[in-house]
Amino acid sequence: MTKYNISEKKEKEAAYRSLVSPKLMDEMKERILSIIVMQKKYKDKDYSAKRLAEDLGTNTRYVSAVVNVRFHMNYSSFINKYRIEEAMSILVDKRYQDLRMEEVSDMVGFANRQSFYASFYKIMKMTPREYRMQHLQQHPLQVVKKPKIKRSSE
């Protein structure tokens, strides 16, 4: 008897995935990318799979099937992937160096700092702060220091 009951994760084949034809899946994939990426709906904290389905004129089961089959992840992971990619750009952009993590999190569509940190760590295997610091160490010339204002005594 083993100490831990660990088994390999089996790929589940959901019955509804076979309801969507490959041609329709390809069309829906393009429409999903257009809405989520091109229109930047991933930044909207309230943009749910239900709202995406409504915008596509379909139901959430079809959206879920397309995201699972064509992108190999669930809806939340799909949305968070684009949020993290944008956060990575913001974190290393010298124009945004003074932003707090909460502000970066808010800019890219996370509801709170905890979910931002959890998603970032899941994808990057480091915290957003560690990512920013690592980039600054690798590219120190991109750090912009604010000039000190000398005040004359009046």
Side-chain angles (χ1 to χ4, degrees):
M1 191 158 133
T2 61
K3 187 173 182 179
Y4 300 103
N5 188 14
I6 299 173
S7 60
E8 284 187 37
K9 187 176 178 182
K10 294 178 182 169
E11 185 71 24
K12 291 187 280 183
E13 186 59 40
Y16 63 87
R17 288 184 189 173
S18 60
L19 296 175
V20 186
S21 73
K23 184 177 187 279
L24 181 58
M25 273 206 186
D26 289 340
E27 290 171 14
M28 285 182 66
K29 174 186 175 182
E30 294 308 315
R31 291 177 61 205
I32 288 169
L33 285 171
S34 174
I35 292 169
I36 299 298
V37 181
M38 303 307 284
Q39 296 177 28
K40 296 190 180 226
K41 291 291 188 180
Y42 63 86
K43 288 181 162 189
D44 182 348
K45 292 173 182 56
D46 302 317
Y47 199 76
S48 63
K50 184 178 182 196
R51 286 206 19 221
L52 175 59
E54 288 168 3
D55 289 349
L56 292 169
T58 188
N59 62 50
T60 55
R61 291 197 123 189
Y62 279 20
V63 168
S64 179
V66 172
V67 171
N68 275 274
V69 172
R70 292 296 189 245
F71 300 105
H72 308 288
M73 59 184 85
N74 64 28
Y75 179 79
S76 295
S77 296
F78 175 69
I79 294 295
N80 288 343
K81 173 180 169 272
Y82 291 102
R83 289 175 175 168
I84 297 304
E85 285 175 5
E86 177 135 351
M88 288 166 58
S89 296
I90 292 169
L91 289 168
V92 300
D93 190 321
K94 61 186 176 185
R95 296 172 295 176
Y96 302 112
Q97 287 303 306
D98 293 334
L99 288 182
R100 295 185 341 266
M101 289 302 150
E102 291 82 2
E103 294 167 315
V104 174
S105 168
D106 190 57
M107 283 176 73
V108 299
F110 282 97
N112 57 59
R113 194 182 81 117
Q114 290 77 16
S115 58
F116 172 52
Y117 265 72
S119 294
F120 197 98
Y121 195 86
K122 181 179 179 185
I123 292 171
M124 298 302 299
K125 306 297 184 239
M126 67 175 72
T127 68
R129 194 168 311 284
E130 289 168 341
Y131 180 81
R132 178 184 267 172
M133 297 312 293
Q134 185 180 75
H135 186 274
L136 292 177
Q137 288 170 353
Q138 291 172 352
H139 306 283
L141 297 176
Q142 290 185 357
V143 178
V144 176
K145 293 183 180 178
K146 292 182 181 176
K148 291 185 179 181
I149 301 171
K150 293 183 181 179
R151 298 181 188 225
S152 58
S153 54
E154 295 172 14

